[in-house]
Amino acid sequence: MKESEGADKGAMPGGGSFDFFVVNISSETLTGNVTWTGGSRSESLAVDGLAPATMSQLQSFSPQSGKNDYWQWSEKGEQYKLNVYDKDRYAAVIISDYGIGVLVTNTSPGTWAW
């Protein structure tokens, strides 16, 4: 969702730990950084050298109540909004030949079967 679309983020009554990771489904090896921003907080993950059909390491981040969550890949420049809530523990940032997408889940990627 583009930065200007959608409602502001509501309350997050729970807490806990949160992580994001990048999955490269593009046809090229990635360069640059993927950055999450929420209010005054920000975390980046370097994706230089991430080959097609591979996944990055986990990067911790700390979303807040009432602060929208934005995701950006430095190589594309546009910022996308996808809010994370207390029951979402992981955010998968998917990079394709067309840009980025973000999916949130409460299950660990280590438990996923393909």
Side-chain angles (χ1 to χ4, degrees):
M1 174 179 297
K2 295 240 189 246
E3 180 178 359
S4 61
E5 296 176 341
D8 287 339
K9 183 175 181 177
M12 285 180 63
S17 61
F18 299 83
D19 293 295
F20 74 90
F21 59 95
V22 176
V23 179
N24 180 3
I25 62 168
S26 73
S27 58
E28 303 289 331
T29 298
L30 298 181
T31 60
N33 296 299
V34 171
T35 302
W36 161 83
T37 305
S40 62
R41 299 176 181 176
S42 181
E43 294 291 341
S44 289
L45 177 63
V47 294
D48 286 327
L50 189 63
T54 61
M55 174 181 127
S56 74
Q57 64 187 18
L58 295 174
Q59 173 63 50
S60 295
F61 69 108
S62 301
Q64 298 173 277
S65 289
K67 304 292 183 187
N68 289 321
D69 298 303
Y70 297 100
W71 305 87
Q72 184 174 22
W73 178 33
S74 62
E75 300 305 298
K76 289 290 182 181
E78 291 189 50
Q79 195 173 49
Y80 294 88
K81 180 171 88 173
L82 182 81
N83 287 328
V84 176
Y85 290 92
D86 51 325
K87 292 189 180 185
D88 302 320
R89 295 296 177 211
Y90 298 94
V93 180
I94 314 301
I95 297 183
S96 72
D97 291 333
Y98 305 102
I100 71 169
V102 181
L103 304 168
V104 293
T105 180
N106 64 358
T107 60
S108 167
T111 65
W112 298 352
W114 300 95

